[in-house]
Amino acid sequence: MRMLEQSGEPIAYVVGSSQGAKTIQPQQCVCVRAVVPAEPARASNQTDYKPVPGWPTDSLMVDLVMQSSKNDDGVNDPLYADARVTVSVNMRDVTRNSDYARSHVYEGAAQLFDPGLYALDARIEFRNGQWNANPGLHTPDYKETPMRNTLPGNPLVPSQVHVLYDPRHATYLGRHQNLPLCTNGAAPGRWIPERNLPPTWKTWQYMSPAEDGRVWLPYACRLRRISHAEFVFHMSRRWPSVHWYGDSNSRRTLRPFVMGGKWCYEANSTARLDCLCNDAPKDLFPSEWYPGMPVPHWYRVHTNGVHSTEIHADLRRLLQEPTDPRPILDKDPSDDGNFGPAHVPPGYRLRDDYFDLYYRFTRGTLDIYGSHWERDITSAAVAPYQPASLVVVQLITWDAAFGSFARFKIDVERLANRLRTVYPRAEFVYRSGPYWCCRNSDDQGKKYSRLRFQSFDAYARNVFQRKLRARVWDVMSPPGQRPPESKRLSENMPCRSAHSRAEHIHLDNQVFMNMLVNGQE
């Protein structure tokens, strides 16, 4: 350790081998250690930055990235050709107090499943707690500093891991279709190029690819493509009334649901800015609704989405009979261009393939810009609507942008208590915060950083699981397992916002649908 400190450079390495590469079996773990020379604060105000308690002082992005994969005969395995399977390593501070002025030491464990040779890719994002810029502090510019992963002439500092080839192991990619269906919305996995998948796999047996052609495949279960019609069918029988709270990330998430999947799905449509990142509302939400987004919206979601007449219906009319038990029509009637809840005139076919969706725009736990959960989530507010069988809650984006972690801890506990009171018989889903990486935000007032998102999210999901027994819908981890070059070509770079591009929203929604539908009888 002292030799590494004396090198004077930040270094990351794999612990436990003297041969330059550590060899393990599939599903075993390796330990990664990083040593970062201490850096004194250059200005007096830099001492004001403190990490979230229990999180590292320095923000390190550490990945183990597959370089190659060969079978026992030394032949490249075509299933992993150019896959660059990436496993992100979460680092924790293990520095002894007596050594803190000299260097900071971090360790993290990574579990590897896929056979091949992995190399370390490690970078420093922020020093001395500057990743956690609380309100009132300047938001530092994002700047990466690569870390060494070798020392010349020293084989005692390995930077690679060799996972042995075992085609009989349950997690080997060739056996993926033998796995059970996923009922977990937070199943770990990896990204594999679609062109590598066996030709015997049918497209419905795996998720659609992201913009770089890679498919998300969990290790312990498999995801299938679920049509919106099948999803609505199951929802109408198990969870016929959904109440949803969240910000513009939720609003973008809901677009495919209320449009039957027909949002930014055509070839080349993602060249549109709203498909990439801009939350332009006019293709879905009437412009007069947008300034008042904290008000609730009610939709009746059919197998083919919400009828356009309902999308542009006057909300005040829907409030008169938002849970009208009369089934929706194949064709909606109109009265002088004003559309309201559908009725059943003679000759129209009855339908029961729908679920009610009540959506209220919220900004995390913050009382800001006219919305606050303490006013918006009450028994009186939801009384006009069908009692919820499922409640989905999405937080983090606004909290990480403008809040302090100390206040967030208090408010997220109070929010969970309120939800338990308002919805004593409902089931809950906690939708994680988005993944943030490798750039500044579109507004220096926003305190975005990768570790701020992760630390706020980790606390909130723990509270929701502990107090509400909530299922976790994790949309943060899969983007974090993308190869380093893909993470840095961010999907929302044109806006520098925390919005995901359309391909990832469709993928996230498929994880949600698999979690709710698979396993139902």
Side-chain angles (χ1 to χ4, degrees), residues 313-428:
D314 184 338
L315 181 63
R316 289 170 296 181
R317 285 179 174 269
L318 292 178
L319 282 172
Q320 300 304 312
E321 277 188 302
T323 57
D324 190 334
R326 289 169 290 188
I328 292 294
L329 313 178
D330 286 332
K331 182 180 181 181
D332 292 322
S334 64
D335 180 18
D336 297 328
N338 296 319
F339 298 97
H343 298 278
V344 185
Y348 278 83
R349 181 167 59 88
L350 302 182
R351 299 183 60 173
D352 63 357
D353 55 344
Y354 64 82
F355 67 92
D356 286 336
L357 172 63
Y358 164 88
Y359 166 58
R360 181 179 277 274
F361 187 93
T362 54
R363 294 178 171 91
T365 66
L366 300 181
D367 184 357
I368 188 172
Y369 298 137
S371 70
H372 188 214
W373 65 266
E374 205 156 17
R375 294 189 301 267
D376 300 337
I377 305 177
T378 66
S379 297
V382 302
Y385 299 91
Q386 186 77 10
S389 45
L390 183 71
V391 179
V392 181
V393 182
Q394 175 252 318
L395 305 171
I396 307 305
T397 315
W398 285 78
D399 298 289
F402 299 110
S404 72
F405 185 79
R407 185 65 203 180
F408 176 74
K409 286 177 60 178
I410 297 171
D411 285 343
V412 77
E413 298 269 359
R414 294 174 60 234
L415 169 59
N417 290 337
R418 171 67 62 83
L419 287 165
R420 186 169 53 190
T421 300
V422 174
Y423 299 105
R425 288 178 293 277
E427 296 184 49
F428 291 89

Side-chain angles (χ1 to χ4, degrees), residues 181-183 224 226-227 230-235 239 471 511-521:
L181 291 172
C182 293
T183 57
R224 63 187 180 94
I226 296 176
S227 70
E230 181 185 358
F231 177 66
V232 171
F233 174 84
H234 283 278
M235 293 297 290
W239 294 287
R471 303 189 192 194
V511 172
F512 178 67
M513 291 192 282
N514 272 262
M515 177 178 69
L516 295 183
V517 172
N518 292 338
Q520 287 196 48
E521 295 181 0

Side-chain angles (χ1 to χ4, degrees), residues 194-224:
E194 184 182 25
R195 64 178 180 273
N196 292 5
L197 302 183
T200 55
W201 290 18
K202 307 298 183 183
T203 55
W204 60 266
Q205 292 180 303
Y206 59 89
M207 306 283 279
S208 56
E211 77 282 0
D212 61 357
R214 287 181 166 87
V215 176
W216 177 249
L217 298 171
Y219 293 114
C221 62
R222 56 187 173 90
L223 297 163
R224 63 187 180 94

Side-chain angles (χ1 to χ4, degrees), residues 27-330:
Q27 206 170 343
Q28 288 186 330
C29 294
V30 295
C31 177
V32 176
R33 181 176 294 143
V35 180
V36 182
E39 179 182 84
R42 296 189 180 92
S44 59
N45 69 328
Q46 289 186 350
T47 61
D48 296 333
Y49 295 91
K50 305 293 183 184
V52 169
W55 288 75
T57 299
D58 303 306
S59 178
L60 310 182
M61 182 182 293
V62 180
D63 294 317
L64 282 163
V65 185
M66 180 186 286
Q67 308 298 302
S68 63
S69 182
K70 297 181 180 180
N71 61 25
D72 291 338
D73 297 325
V75 178
N76 288 323
D77 189 334
L79 292 174
Y80 296 99
D82 300 318
R84 290 184 58 77
V85 170
T86 298
V87 179
S88 181
V89 186
N90 293 322
M91 308 297 286
R92 59 186 181 90
D93 196 334
V94 296
T95 311
R96 294 180 297 184
N97 291 336
S98 59
D99 296 335
Y100 215 78
R102 184 171 58 248
S103 62
H104 302 167
V105 182
Y106 302 96
E107 287 184 354
Q111 189 175 27
L112 302 179
F113 295 87
D114 295 303
L117 185 66
Y118 294 77
L120 268 177
D121 183 289
R123 314 178 188 217
I124 302 173
E125 298 179 298
F126 295 100
R127 298 297 311 271
N128 296 328
Q130 290 189 345
W131 61 266
N132 185 35
N134 275 317
L137 293 177
H138 171 71
T139 306
D141 288 337
Y142 183 85
K143 183 180 179 181
E144 290 183 356
T145 302
M147 301 177 66
R148 292 190 66 118
N149 57 20
T150 59
L151 285 179
N154 184 3
L156 297 178
V157 185
S159 62
Q160 295 183 326
V161 181
H162 178 215
V163 181
L164 294 174
Y165 177 76
D166 183 1
R168 296 168 298 178
H169 196 277
T171 61
Y172 178 66
L173 188 57
R175 300 174 59 86
H176 184 76
Q177 293 302 333
N178 296 333
L179 296 173
L181 291 172
C182 293
T183 57
N184 179 359
R190 74 296 220 185
W191 295 93
I192 298 293
E194 184 182 25
R195 64 178 180 273
N196 292 5
L197 302 183
T200 55
W201 290 18
K202 307 298 183 183
T203 55
W204 60 266
Q205 292 180 303
Y206 59 89
M207 306 283 279
S208 56
E211 77 282 0
D212 61 357
R214 287 181 166 87
V215 176
W216 177 249
L217 298 171
Y219 293 114
C221 62
R222 56 187 173 90
L223 297 163
R224 63 187 180 94
R225 295 191 203 187
I226 296 176
S227 70
H228 281 260
E230 181 185 358
F231 177 66
V232 171
F233 174 84
H234 283 278
M235 293 297 290
S236 67
R237 284 149 178 78
R238 177 70 183 274
W239 294 287
S241 179
V242 179
H243 290 199
W244 193 305
Y245 299 95
D247 57 35
S248 54
N249 282 287
S250 282
R251 190 165 59 209
R252 289 174 67 78
T253 294
L254 290 173
R255 290 174 181 239
F257 289 128
V258 299
M259 300 178 74
K262 302 295 191 295
W263 173 69
C264 292
Y265 71 101
E266 308 94 336
N268 301 319
S269 67
T270 50
R272 290 165 29 195
L273 195 58
D274 61 312
C275 296
L276 287 172
C277 55
N278 184 32
D279 188 47
K282 292 185 179 180
D283 66 333
L284 179 57
F285 300 99
S287 57
E288 62 269 20
W289 283 8
Y290 195 68
M293 278 309 296
V295 303
H297 300 281
W298 172 84
Y299 303 102
R300 182 156 282 174
V301 183
H302 311 272
T303 52
N304 293 320
V306 176
H307 297 310
S308 60
T309 52
E310 292 175 294
I311 293 176
H312 295 89
D314 184 338
L315 181 63
R316 289 170 296 181
R317 285 179 174 269
L318 292 178
L319 282 172
Q320 300 304 312
E321 277 188 302
T323 57
D324 190 334
R326 289 169 290 188
I328 292 294
L329 313 178
D330 286 332

